[in-house]
Amino acid sequence: MMVAAVEHGSGLVLVQVQVVSKTNEIKAVRQLSQDLDLKGRVVTLDALHAQQETARCLVESCRADYVAASVKDNQPTIRKNLEDLD
């Protein structure tokens, strides 16, 4: 399985990495983010990546902002914080 970074406007694949056997795409996304110049950019991710370590990687290491497309019930604190914003 591969994980790719895609530029939204053009659909251009910027970089992709292979998901290591017996792991999942979470670590692959963190690795992939280190291979890109994301400073000042907005990264969108699906619910699987609503992870504190991924957020730290993007915000602190890459100096990017991010949007998790959805947050599911397996992240109750994040979900409650988002609901409280309303």
Side-chain angles (χ1 to χ4, degrees), residues 43-79:
V43 176
T44 57
L45 305 163
D46 66 15
L48 175 67
H49 301 287
Q51 305 283 328
Q52 290 181 11
E53 190 173 337
T54 300
R56 275 192 292 278
C57 178
L58 291 169
V59 173
E60 295 174 4
S61 298
C62 298
R63 302 289 185 224
D65 292 308
Y66 75 97
V67 175
S70 63
V71 175
K72 297 182 180 178
D73 290 334
N74 64 337
Q75 294 288 348
T77 303
I78 295 172
R79 186 175 181 105

Side-chain angles (χ1 to χ4, degrees), residues 12 17 19 28-29 38 40 56 63-64 78-80 83-84:
L12 178 69
V17 295
V19 176
V29 164
L38 297 176
R56 275 192 292 278
R63 302 289 185 224
I78 295 172
R79 186 175 181 105
K80 172 136 180 35
E83 289 170 351
D84 289 348

Side-chain angles (χ1 to χ4, degrees), residues 7-23:
E7 198 276 325
H8 286 277
S10 67
L12 178 69
V13 174
L14 303 173
V15 66
Q16 60 184 3
V17 295
Q18 185 171 4
V19 176
V20 178
S21 178
K22 298 188 182 195
T23 65

